Amino acid sequence: MQTTPEIVKRWSNEVQEAVQSRAALVQFHALALLHQIRQNDKLAVSKLVITLTKGNVRSPLAQCLLIRYTNQVICESAGNAQTGIGHFMTYLESCLWNKSEMVIFEAARVITELNGVTSRELIPAITVL
């Protein structure tokens, strides 16, 4: 990606398909690469996060990465009053009841560190911890 980004961008459709792979590490690396490809376009990153939070990301590593990207989108859209973060908060709250402990801890960490979190949104994270 650092030496020839044009070549990697040409393969973005294949990387998008790799996110749906059954292999945990393939999902993780595909998600990380997709984010790196789109990192300079905030709208593209936001669409990626929205799509994947609705989708089926099974890998705990990829879910942790997606939680971090969700946090990034929430923080970047904090100044924009028209951007609703309800969907993102619903996703983060659903991650609190995941089978994997690292996903639970990552979601709880993100929820507790967010600015402007209400007590209703904070209570589930504290309860899980």
Side-chain angles (χ1 to χ4, degrees):
M1 182 66 188
Q2 293 174 351
T3 56
T4 55
E6 312 84 38
I7 294 173
V8 176
K9 287 180 183 179
R10 276 191 244 149
W11 287 85
S12 89
N13 288 337
E14 285 75 9
V15 175
Q16 184 73 35
E17 290 175 17
V19 171
Q20 302 305 321
S21 172
R22 290 180 182 239
L25 283 178
V26 172
Q27 262 190 350
F28 171 75
H29 286 102
L31 178 57
L33 184 57
L34 270 178
H35 182 265
Q36 190 171 8
I37 290 170
R38 299 174 182 181
Q39 70 183 352
N40 295 326
D41 185 1
K42 291 180 183 179
L43 182 61
V45 171
S46 179
K47 285 182 179 180
L48 174 68
V49 169
I50 289 170
T51 302
L52 292 177
T53 55
K54 292 178 183 176
N56 194 9
V57 177
R58 292 177 296 277
S59 164
L61 291 170
Q63 286 177 338
C64 286
L65 205 53
L66 186 57
I67 290 169
R68 290 179 184 177
Y69 297 154
T70 303
N71 183 31
Q72 177 185 359
V73 170
I74 290 172
C75 290
E76 288 175 354
S77 66
N80 188 355
Q82 292 181 346
T83 305
I85 62 167
H87 169 73
F88 299 126
M89 287 305 296
T90 304
Y91 171 71
L92 291 175
E93 288 175 7
S94 71
C95 289
L96 292 173
W97 312 111
N98 196 288
K99 291 184 286 186
S100 174
E101 287 183 354
M102 72 175 154
V103 174
I104 294 169
F105 289 135
E106 189 67 25
R109 182 189 64 82
V110 166
I111 290 172
T112 56
E113 290 179 357
L114 283 174
N115 291 331
V117 177
T118 64
S119 61
R120 187 199 70 75
E121 296 165 340
L122 195 58
I123 288 173
I126 293 172
T127 302
V128 167
L129 289 174

